[in-house]
């Protein structure tokens, strides 16, 4: 007999963010926006998830500039007037369907492949030009480039608010631009943007402060963080809770509202000597609401799909147990919602026999 999932369907409120349930659609890049402009299919994709009761939809990564932020083709931006017009239609469609949605603001930083970008001669941006520890590929960002990047993130946060979305999330995880500043293996700077935790968090803090000034006190700002890096799932930015506190406290001070703590399997403890996961520790150390994520409702983690492995529907009991203990406040679901827009209502109505497998084919989901 499975546990009741009622806890997932209790409302959530934090400041201006009011959600009908605790299920968040995880940000998932889809590359279906030719020219960076989200079209009618993108609108339909998000509307369907809103119509099927996802509590909060976080968009795929959206670029805050069209030059250095992107290597991946057909990723949307929030800079060009046509792209903004497309996002406005998305926000209106989701709101009409009774949903809430935020944009995830994503600068690929050292993981932008210049050769695949529209500007192959322009080097990629990152704290120290280091993509993988020990190997410098580009010059460190100049002071002027850092200032530009901060301004672009803040302008993107303001645009997100003006286009009618419920919140904005900065992508500070998975080795991309902001994360390249956090990790001491990719941030080798000796100026105010590097060094100790205060220095390494300063880039993110300045983005948050500058955004807060533009969006005002009430517009919810989220940040996604991860211990893991793309080239190594086992490394950790913070080795212990004391380091984690030094990482998070400046972000709270700068004005972040909610932390989105990315891990591949939500049940894995962040550190030894405690069962708490990354989102659990983050909530405990900051007192701020947190979102967890990682293989919810599926038998394999998200990287499995790329090697062709099929993930089967899996029990939610362990998730329910953690949420009943209030270890974290919200749970993000990625692939299950990519392949099945009705996943939330199926869970709510106990239609477990109707749940779908996740296969690589789902990565091509258009609607
Ligand atoms: C196709 C795909 C695209 C993704 N794109 C992003 C992204 O743009 N931004 C991000 O923060 N995470 C991205 N992720 C990671 C997901 O947000 C999520 O953390 C991961 O899939 C684990 O959740 P799941 O096990 O429920 O799928 C992506 C994952 C997938 C499968």
């Amino acid at each position: 007999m499975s546990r009741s999932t009622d806890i997932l369907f209790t409302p959530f409120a934090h400041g201006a963010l009011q959600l009908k349930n605790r299920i968040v659609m995880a940000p998932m890049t889809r590359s279906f926006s030719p020219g960076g402009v989200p079209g009618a299919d993108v609108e339909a994709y998000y509307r369907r998830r809103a119509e099927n009761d996802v509590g909060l939809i976080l968009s795929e990564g959206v670029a805050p500039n069209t030059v250095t932020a992107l290597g991946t083709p057909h990723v949307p931006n929030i800079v060009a007037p046509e792209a903004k017009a497309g996002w406005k239609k998305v926000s209106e469609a989701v709101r009409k369907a009774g949903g809430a949605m935020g944009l995830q603001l994503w600068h690929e930083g050292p993981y932008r492949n210049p050769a695949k970008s529209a500007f192959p001669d322009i080097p990629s941006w990152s704290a120290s030009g280091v993509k993988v520890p020990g190997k410098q590929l580009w010059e460190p960002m100049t002071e002027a480039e850092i200032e530009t990047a901060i301004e672009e993130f803040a302008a993107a946060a303001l645009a997100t608010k003006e286009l009618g979305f419920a919140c904005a999330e900065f992508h500070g995880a998975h080795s991309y631009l902001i994360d390249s500043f956090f990790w001491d293996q990719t941030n080798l700077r000796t100026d105010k943007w590097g060094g100790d935790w205060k220095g390494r968090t300063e880039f993110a803090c300045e983005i948050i402060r500058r955004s807060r000034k533009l969006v005002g006190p009430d517009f919810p700002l989220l940040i996604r963080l991860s211990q893991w890096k793309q080239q190594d799932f086992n490394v950790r930015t913070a080795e212990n809770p004391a380091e984690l506190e030094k990482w998070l406290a400046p972000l709270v001070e700068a004005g972040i509202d909610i932390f989105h703590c990315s891990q591949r399997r939500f049940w894995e403890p962040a550190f030894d000597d405690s069962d708490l996961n990354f989102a659990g520790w983050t909530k405990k150390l900051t007192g701020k609401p947190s979102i967890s994520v990682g293989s919810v409702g599926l038998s394999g983690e998200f990287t499995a799909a790329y090697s062709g492995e099929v993930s089967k529907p899996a029990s939610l009991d362990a998730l329910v147990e953690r949420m009943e203990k209030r270890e974290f406040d919200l749970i993000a679901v990625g692939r299950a919602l990519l392949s099945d827009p009705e996943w939330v209502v199926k869970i709510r109505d106990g239609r477990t026999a109707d749940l779908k497998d996740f296969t690589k084919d789902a990565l091509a989901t258009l609607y």
Side-chain angles (χ1 to χ4, degrees):
M1 181 67 191
S2 298
R3 297 174 80 114
S4 156
T5 57
D6 286 356
I7 184 74
L8 295 172
F9 296 94
T10 53
F12 169 84
H14 183 72
L17 194 64
Q18 316 266 339
L19 308 177
K20 61 179 147 193
N21 64 47
R22 289 168 185 263
I23 299 168
V24 177
M25 180 166 167
M28 282 177 289
T29 289
R30 305 173 57 246
S31 306
F32 285 129
S33 296
V37 178
D41 55 332
V42 175
E43 179 188 329
Y45 168 82
Y46 289 116
R47 189 185 58 235
R48 280 181 80 187
R49 274 90 191 151
E51 284 167 351
N52 285 288
D53 275 353
V54 174
L56 174 66
I57 296 170
L58 290 174
S59 74
E60 61 204 287
V62 179
N65 77 37
T66 54
V67 182
T68 58
L70 289 174
T72 314
H74 310 313
V75 164
N77 68 69
I78 187 169
V79 183
E82 316 83 68
K84 286 186 176 177
W87 284 122
K88 192 159 172 50
K89 286 188 186 158
V90 173
S91 86
E92 282 167 359
V94 166
R95 229 187 11 255
K96 235 180 177 169
M101 179 167 177
L103 295 186
Q104 186 191 53
L105 307 176
W106 177 40
H107 190 300
E108 284 189 302
Y111 272 78
R112 161 186 174 264
N113 181 350
K116 281 196 184 166
S117 80
F119 302 91
D121 298 331
I122 296 184
S124 293
W125 283 357
S126 69
S128 298
V130 177
K131 178 175 175 183
V132 174
K135 208 167 149 196
Q136 187 176 350
L137 297 179
W138 303 283
E139 288 303 308
M141 283 172 83
T142 64
E143 192 71 29
E145 286 167 343
I146 290 176
E147 172 61 23
T148 301
I150 292 166
E151 282 291 299
E152 288 171 347
F153 266 113
L158 178 62
T160 304
K161 179 185 176 190
E162 289 176 344
L163 291 169
F165 290 99
C167 61
E169 174 174 278
F170 302 112
H171 195 338
H174 308 170
S175 317
Y176 296 114
L177 180 62
I178 296 175
D179 199 21
S180 81
F181 279 82
F182 287 142
W183 195 31
D184 62 5
Q185 301 296 303
T186 47
N187 184 344
L188 311 174
R189 303 180 74 98
T190 51
D191 57 9
K192 72 177 224 194
W193 308 103
D196 59 8
W197 286 100
K198 185 175 179 312
R200 285 184 279 123
T201 53
E202 185 58 19
F203 179 62
C205 286
E206 196 49 33
I207 289 170
I208 297 164
R209 286 192 288 262
R210 209 77 71 87
S211 300
R212 179 60 72 208
K213 229 182 237 170
L214 295 184
V215 300
D218 299 331
F219 186 68
L221 295 175
L222 285 57
I223 190 163
R224 196 170 213 213
L225 306 175
S226 68
Q227 292 271 47
W228 62 266
K229 308 298 158 208
Q230 282 190 48
Q231 77 283 359
D232 188 347
F233 292 126
N234 297 316
V235 295
R236 292 195 287 214
T237 310
E239 285 298 339
N240 51 54
E243 287 190 357
L244 182 58
E245 194 163 16
K246 287 186 188 159
W247 182 10
L248 302 174
L251 305 174
V252 172
E253 176 82 27
I256 211 69
D257 294 297
I258 297 176
F259 287 98
H260 187 174
C261 303
S262 171
Q263 59 184 102
R264 295 190 310 142
R265 305 177 193 92
F266 73 86
W267 58 89
E268 290 185 344
F271 304 110
D272 298 338
D273 305 327
S274 163
D275 281 345
L276 288 183
N277 74 8
F278 186 33
W281 271 108
T282 296
K283 180 174 178 177
K284 181 183 161 96
L285 292 172
T286 63
K288 292 284 178 190
S290 68
I291 309 173
S292 189
V293 66
S295 304
V296 170
L298 288 174
S299 61
E301 70 280 349
F302 80 94
T303 41
Y306 299 100
S307 56
E309 199 180 299
V310 174
S311 291
K312 299 267 174 204
S315 163
L316 296 186
D317 286 359
L319 172 69
V320 165
E321 196 176 318
R322 284 174 186 260
M323 293 200 72
E324 283 178 347
K325 286 190 205 153
R326 311 276 164 188
E327 178 177 337
F328 40 83
D329 303 271
L330 299 163
I331 186 68
V333 176
R335 290 160 301 144
L337 272 169
L338 174 61
S339 58
D340 188 354
E342 292 181 46
W343 187 85
V344 172
V345 288
K346 287 180 182 173
I347 295 296
R348 185 193 60 206
D349 300 341
R351 290 164 52 200
T352 45
D354 297 340
L355 293 171
K356 294 182 179 174
D357 293 351
F358 182 87
T359 66
K360 201 175 179 174
D361 297 345
L363 297 173
T365 302
L366 196 56
Y367 301 117

